[in-house]
Structure formats: C-alpha cells, structure tokens
Amino acid sequence: MYRFLSFDTIAVFKPKFFTIFHTFHREQLTNDLIAGIVVGILALPLSIAFAIASGVSPEKGLFTAIIAGFLISFLGGSRVQIGGPTGAFIVIVYGIVQQYGVDGLTVATVMAGLMLIAMGFARLGQVIKFIPYPLIVGFTTGIALIIFSSQIKDFFGLEMGTVPSDFLEKWGAYTTHFHSLNVYALILGLGTIFISLLFGKFTNKIPGSLVAILVSTFVAQYLQWPVETIGSRFGEIPSGFPVPSLPTVDWQMIKDLFQPAFTIALLGGIESLLSAVVADGMIGKTHRSNMELVAQGVANVVTPFFGGIPATGAIARTATNVKNGGRTPVAGLVHALTLLLIVLFFGHLAVLIPLSCLAGILVLIAYNMSEWRSFRRIVQGGGSDTVVLVVTFLLTVLLDLTIAIEVGMVLAAFLFMTRMAQLSHVDLVQDLQLRETESESVIHPMDLSNFTIPKGIEVFEISGPMFFGAAYKFQEEIKHLETSPFILILRMRYVPMIDATGLRAIEDVHREVSPRGTKLVLSGVQPPVLEELRKSRLLFKIGKGNVLPDFGQALNRAIRILEAADEDENETAFQEEMSASFSDDSSKT
C-alpha cells in the first residue's frame, strides 16, 4: 500500500497538465492558443476522412477528435500530444463495423481502453516500446497500402456499389468498373494532393490540406461539377453535441471481440508512445509513458459512448502543434474546443466537401505513413528481420491486421530465440589458454596467462544467454563425457542471464554427476545469474564454496578438493594396511 502511494508512483501517474500548470505565462499561453486553433482546423478534414474510411459516418470522427483529444491532453503524460482518430485504426475499425456493426465497435473500443489503462498501471509503457521495428514497419506499410486501396473509388469517382473488403477482390472490382471514371472527381483529387504538397513548402502555419479542401469545395460548388459530396452520401452532419448511449452487448460478442480489442490497444499504445517520443525530440522534454497509456485508455473508454471511434496520439497533428509554438497541454485542449465550435456553428458547411477531395488527403496520408524507405532498407539487409517484415506486411494486406500482429510477434520472438541460441556455445576445454584478463583473487593470486588442467578435472566453457532455447546444447555436450571426472568446472563468465530452463539444466547435471562422486564447481558467475541461482536454491545445493567469481579461484578450489580426496584415499589405504598388518600379527600370536 505504501509503495502504491509513494512519491515515485504519484509522480509517474501525474498528468503533465497538472505538473506544469503553475508555470504558465502569458506569452506561452498565447502560443498555445494559436497552435491549438491551427491544429483544430487541421483535424477537421482528417477526422472526417478517417471516419468515412473506417466505414462510419463523418460526425463520429469529429466527436472522437473533440472528446478523446480533450481527455488525452488533459490526462496525458506528454506536454504536446494531440489525440484523435488516426489512419492506423482504419483497417481494424472497418473490419469490426462490417462484421459486428457500430455496437460491436463501441464494445471493442471500450475493451481496448480498459486494456490500455491496465497496461499503464502495470507500467508497461517502456516494455511496449520494445515491439520489433520490422514488425511495426510491416503492418504500418500494409495499413498504408490498404488505405490507398480503399480510396480508389472516391478518388477516381467510380460508379460502383459497395467495395469488397478483401484486397484482391477490391482491385478486381476496380478493374471492372474503371470505365466509369469521373474526370471531375479525379481533377479534384489530384488538385488536393498538389495544393497540399505545394502549400506545405511555403508555410507550416496553415495546413495545406485545409487550403486544398477550401479550394476544391469552392471549385466544385461554383462550377457545379457532378461529384459526390459528404452530404450526398451521408446527409446532414449533426450540429449538436451527441447524447451518450449504451450499446447492445452480449457475452459472445465480448469473447469474439477480444482479439480485435487487443489489436486496437496495441496499435494505440505503440502509436501514442512513438508520437510522444518524436515530440520529446522536438521540444527537448520527456514524457511519462505509463500516464500516457492511462490517458489513452480513459479516452477510449469514454468516447465510444458518445458515438466515437478508437483514438490515439497523432504524430502529424502533434508535430504541427509543436511547429506552431505549442508547448503545454493547453494547446491540445484548445484544439478540441476549436473543433467543437466548428461543429456547432459551421458543421452544416462540411456536407459540401467532395469525397474525392478527402480521398486525395487520405492518399497523401497513406504515402506519408507507408515508410517505404524503411521497408526497402530492411529488405536489402536480409536475414530474419526481412522475414518478419514481409510476413507481417502480406498478412496485413491479404488476411487481417490482428492475425498479422499476432503471427508477426510470435515469428519475431521465435527468430530472436533462434539467433540467441546460435550465439550460445558450450565447449569442452582440455588445456585452457586465457586470452583476456580476468579478475583475480587477492587471496589466491595466480598467473592468468596460462592454466594447465590437472587430471581428474574437466572444464566446460558456456558462452551466451542460457535460456530454454540454448539449455539443450549444454545438456547434450555434458552427455558426451566418456568418463565421469572427479571435478566438473562450468566456466560461466560469458553467461549474462539464465532462465528457469537453464537452471533446471544445471540442476539435472548436478543430480546426475553427484551419485558418481563428481563435484560441480561454477566459475565467473555474473551477479544476475548468481541471484537466480540463489532464488532457485540451486546455489545451496551446489554449495556456496563451489561457486567462485573467477576461474583462478575455481581451479584452486578444484585442486584442493582433489588433494583432500587423495589425502583421504591415502589415509584410508594406510588404515586398511595397518588393520591388515594387525590382523596378521594377531593370527601369528
């Protein structure tokens, strides 16, 4: 209880907003207000685009950016993080909506939020950063390709019904309907990309995508181009704040949605912490990763009840916030309030935005998140990283994002264990030549340049981590001993860690050789390994005196045991001889 309420715990789980609240000053407040307004305007088209691409109505993206964005900035562990819907969730959200409907999405998002809160309180903020980079690049590039593929219909203005969800079927349908291309939609889509890229070269103060939307919408309305708009497909956007509602849920749905929910939680955790790390580098500060996870979790628990979709930290919007002077969570709060005011007073104008314009923005987003340069670099490097990358990418595109992450994680772990096992060696040493300087005992100084192993002593050198993937090598090598030595020394100076399987392997060897009269001696045991030996009680089975810090002391110990054994043997032989002599004298008498 004391530990839970300790100062360290309170500091770790204290939102940045409350930490820096007393340091606000007028100049910084002004900068935060400006940055928040700019990011809020930028979030308008992105939130709508992400919602439509996810298979839900536009206002759900807006309400997500407002509610989740406010909570993430208010409770988060980063000074400048901007939260809301992102492209990473499009694939998984679209699949959930297609299979389980909006109620299923609500349940999955709440479950993911609870998982994120649990991850934060379990202090997994640092651990989640250890997700293999090839795995992240693999599913990120796969998501980017799927986002790009999902926008072909609107970008080219194709006249077709519902787009198939399967990747190959989707492109087959595009090929079949490509003759229905709408030139006006294509012009608006290409124009959106061109304006966004061109405007970004001149200034970062005003989002290029917003300018592109304003220009495209004006052109389409003024020239009366026959293109599909948000209003023609989805109708009016509500201008009021949503009323909270509860989904229809049953136990079977919860069980079915556990894996998708875990995927949402994992994606949200990874993207939010990556965004926070990027922001730290831009402002020279550090974030509280565990508090950030808790904030992301709270946002994803609350938002779905107001019709929202999954949310996380958005790298592009966070970077825009920083570039426009945002340095405190106030900018994130202003961003949410700006969006709220836009929805309340100008939301009815959003229905005029052409869908091909939003498709152009998403095509640009897909390109930016594709990480094709990193993809190419990893593939050129070859090896197991390439296997993880390609498998994750293909599974994301062709099957399912959840399956891709699960298989990618297992595959990455398996390949890592294989490589670690290959680095582990167990060698029988006959005449040991030391090439490095070892620590030597002050009590037993020795010349460490050369050791000669006396008869009756066998030395095995173990190098590399001794975990379940490598322990079998040790056991197999020990079995190759033709005769049982009197002393068996295990040299472990290059063993940085040992797990339960490695401990069991040493215990099995000790149990096998002890009945044969063989003494087991360990040398060069590193502190982490020694601690594991102590906790498992194996240290006491072997004997504290038989676990030495360096090989010189271990060899001294083995020689003393040999000498003591010889003395015992000589004394026993002498006693037997004297006993036999006494018996002979007695018989003569």
Side-chain angles (χ1 to χ4, degrees), residues 222-372:
Y222 182 76
L223 299 178
Q224 293 294 302
W225 281 1
V227 293
E228 195 171 13
T229 63
I230 291 178
S232 64
R233 180 180 295 183
F234 297 99
E236 295 293 325
I237 293 180
S239 58
F241 201 74
V243 177
S245 60
L246 296 176
T248 302
V249 60
D250 56 61
W251 178 243
Q252 185 60 44
M253 178 186 289
I254 293 176
K255 292 193 295 183
D256 292 341
L257 289 172
F258 183 84
Q259 283 186 317
F262 179 75
T263 302
I264 293 173
L266 190 61
L267 283 174
I270 292 173
E271 186 158 2
S272 64
L273 295 183
L274 285 177
S275 177
V277 169
V278 171
D280 287 348
M282 297 177 71
I283 64 175
K285 303 292 184 179
T286 57
H287 71 283
R288 295 168 183 160
S289 56
N290 295 308
M291 189 64 232
E292 187 64 27
L293 289 180
V294 172
Q296 301 288 339
V298 172
N300 281 286
V301 168
V302 174
T303 306
F305 295 110
F306 293 88
I309 59 179
T312 185
I315 296 177
R317 273 160 278 173
T318 299
T320 301
N321 178 36
V322 173
K323 290 177 182 178
N324 283 274
R327 291 296 182 273
T328 75
V330 170
L333 302 179
V334 172
H335 136 268
L337 294 175
T338 300
L339 263 179
L340 177 60
L341 293 176
I342 292 174
V343 170
L344 294 178
F345 297 103
F346 304 101
H348 62 282
L349 298 177
V351 298
L352 303 177
I353 300 175
L355 292 177
S356 57
C357 176
L358 295 179
I361 292 175
L362 285 172
V363 167
L364 197 56
I365 290 173
Y367 175 80
N368 291 331
M369 72 179 294
S370 65
E371 298 196 47
W372 62 269

Side-chain angles (χ1 to χ4, degrees), residues 97-220:
V97 171
Q98 294 299 308
Q99 188 169 358
Y100 300 100
V102 175
D103 282 351
L105 177 61
T106 300
V107 173
T109 307
V110 172
M111 291 171 62
L114 295 174
M115 292 178 188
L116 281 167
I117 294 173
M119 290 178 186
F121 283 122
R123 302 187 183 223
L124 297 180
Q126 298 297 326
V127 177
I128 203 170
K129 297 177 185 177
F130 298 148
I131 304 295
Y133 183 63
L135 175 66
I136 295 175
V137 175
F139 72 68
T140 302
T141 308
I143 290 171
L145 179 57
I146 293 176
I147 292 175
F148 171 77
S149 302
S150 67
Q151 299 308 304
I152 297 299
K153 173 188 175 183
D154 292 335
F155 189 82
F156 289 96
L158 303 182
E159 295 180 5
M160 55 187 297
T162 303
V163 179
S165 58
D166 181 78
F167 180 79
L168 298 179
E169 292 180 4
K170 184 178 300 180
W171 279 97
Y174 290 153
T175 304
T176 304
H177 294 85
F178 201 76
H179 65 276
S180 62
L181 180 146
N182 185 328
V183 177
Y184 301 104
L186 179 59
I187 292 174
L188 291 176
L190 292 174
T192 298
I193 295 175
F194 178 77
I195 295 173
S196 298
L197 293 174
L198 184 64
F199 204 81
K201 294 182 180 297
F202 293 102
T203 179
N204 291 320
K205 298 297 183 181
I206 301 177
S209 58
L210 176 64
V211 176
I213 283 183
L214 293 176
V215 172
S216 299
T217 303
F218 174 77
V219 170

Side-chain angles (χ1 to χ4, degrees), residues 29-41:
L29 183 60
T30 302
N31 291 335
D32 287 334
L33 289 173
I34 295 173
I37 292 172
V38 171
V39 178
I41 295 172

